Amino acid sequence: MVPKEYYGRLFTEDQLPTDYYSEALTLESMVKIDNQLRCKRCFSPIEEEWQLPNGKHYCRACIVFGRNQEGKQLYYFASKEADINFPVLKWSGKLTSYQAEVSEKLLKTYQQQKNSLVHAVTGAGKTEMIYKIVAYVLETKGRVAIASPRVDVCRELHIRLQRDFTCSISLLHAESEPYDGSPFVIATTHQLLKFYQSFDLIIVDEVDAFPFVGNPMLNHAVKQAKKKPDSLFT
Ligand SMILES: [Zn+2]
């Protein structure tokens, strides 16, 4: 049986125990776009000198997640429906009318399969505004990731959301415990590179600021970790 923490995840050949090769789906490790070799996992252009003694190229940009190498496949397991107990939300606070309005809009745009961008000043209560949509997605058996480039923000959110939600939440950053298969993840943005078409909803903190803006790897990480719209109903 495939371990639950494998679903929606991307592995290099060396990371996946051989017993699971036959059950996994595969991807080419590198893609060639406009004559430029790119890493399938992080989309970085592969530089000429990123080469092993055997002549094969590899990606140095995402090597911290295990070496992705030319000629070796990447393996992934299709995402699975969340299996959690109801109700997911135990927060008993009350939203201000502004928060309630934003919260309702977020839910509507999600249901229309569109993206939302929320501009809110510090102290506006951004976190509570996402509770409704997060609970909705989890309760409809979807999977949710909240990503921030800042590890301190992730840690703080994890403490707060664990208090306000009934389900277990996996916290992922460079020094965290390994992923436990939870359908609700709080992660530094880079950690999303470990997932493939995994989440129904991804919320990115400070998406319009450094380091997210102008960083193709982080943009790619979010896009790749998100389920395709047409897989929302499978
Ligand atoms: Zn890469």
Side-chain angles (χ1 to χ4, degrees):
M1 217 177 111
V2 176
K4 68 173 181 164
E5 63 272 22
Y6 283 14
Y7 291 104
R9 291 276 311 283
L10 192 60
F11 298 91
T12 64
E13 202 169 294
D14 299 334
Q15 283 168 338
L16 187 67
T18 48
D19 293 358
Y20 298 111
Y21 282 3
S22 61
E23 289 174 81
L25 299 161
T26 56
L27 297 166
E28 288 296 324
S29 58
M30 309 260 162
V31 286
K32 207 164 207 176
I33 296 168
D34 297 333
N35 239 356
Q36 169 67 61
L37 199 62
R38 286 180 180 271
C39 171
K40 177 66 187 164
R41 181 168 53 188
C42 77
F43 207 60
S44 295
I46 303 295
E47 295 183 19
E48 202 41 52
E49 68 269 24
W50 296 359
Q51 216 171 18
L52 296 166
N54 67 6
K56 296 285 184 195
H57 286 95
Y58 67 98
C59 181
R60 209 175 271 176
C62 64
I63 197 157
V64 63
F65 297 108
R67 190 168 67 203
N68 184 32
Q69 188 183 319
E70 191 184 10
K72 288 193 174 185
Q73 289 175 309
L74 286 169
Y75 292 80
Y76 74 98
F77 296 88
S79 184
K80 238 186 162 189
E81 281 190 341
D83 182 18
I84 45 164
N85 296 323
F86 288 37
V88 198
L89 192 61
K90 62 177 171 186
W91 183 67
S92 56
K94 213 172 154 14
L95 296 176
T96 63
S97 58
Y98 170 69
Q99 285 175 316
E101 193 189 318
V102 174
S103 162
E104 201 56 46
K105 269 190 192 153
L106 287 174
L107 184 58
K108 286 236 167 69
T109 46
Y110 173 78
Q111 287 166 335
Q112 294 162 358
Q113 296 186 29
K114 290 183 190 156
N115 294 327
S116 301
L117 181 64
V118 179
H119 277 288
V121 292
T122 311
K126 259 194 304 186
T127 307
E128 294 89 344
M129 292 181 204
I130 63 169
Y131 282 6
K132 189 170 186 164
I133 186 171
V134 169
Y136 172 83
V137 176
L138 291 169
E139 287 181 352
T140 49
K141 298 194 176 296
R143 300 163 60 85
V144 179
I146 302 179
S148 167
R150 286 172 50 193
V151 68
D152 56 327
V153 170
C154 291
R155 282 206 179 97
E156 213 174 281
L157 264 179
H158 187 245
I159 293 169
R160 197 158 154 198
L161 269 56
Q162 267 197 321
R163 190 190 60 204
D164 292 343
F165 284 79
T166 58
C167 59
S168 79
I169 306 171
S170 185
L171 173 67
L172 301 178
H173 53 79
E175 286 142 32
S176 67
E177 296 289 313
Y179 177 53
D180 64 3
S182 167
F184 190 2
V185 169
I186 297 174
T188 50
T189 325
H190 278 98
Q191 293 287 318
L192 294 177
L193 287 169
K194 293 180 176 172
F195 295 87
Y196 187 77
Q197 297 182 0
S198 189
F199 299 103
D200 298 86
L201 172 69
I202 301 181
I203 297 171
V204 184
D205 187 40
E206 299 190 5
V207 75
D208 54 350
F210 176 83
F212 196 82
V213 167
N215 186 324
M217 196 207 272
L218 294 183
N219 281 271
H220 176 79
V222 172
K223 245 189 251 163
Q224 186 159 263
K226 171 82 174 60
K227 265 192 208 166
K228 291 232 172 96
D230 57 4
S231 65
L232 281 174
F233 303 105
T234 57

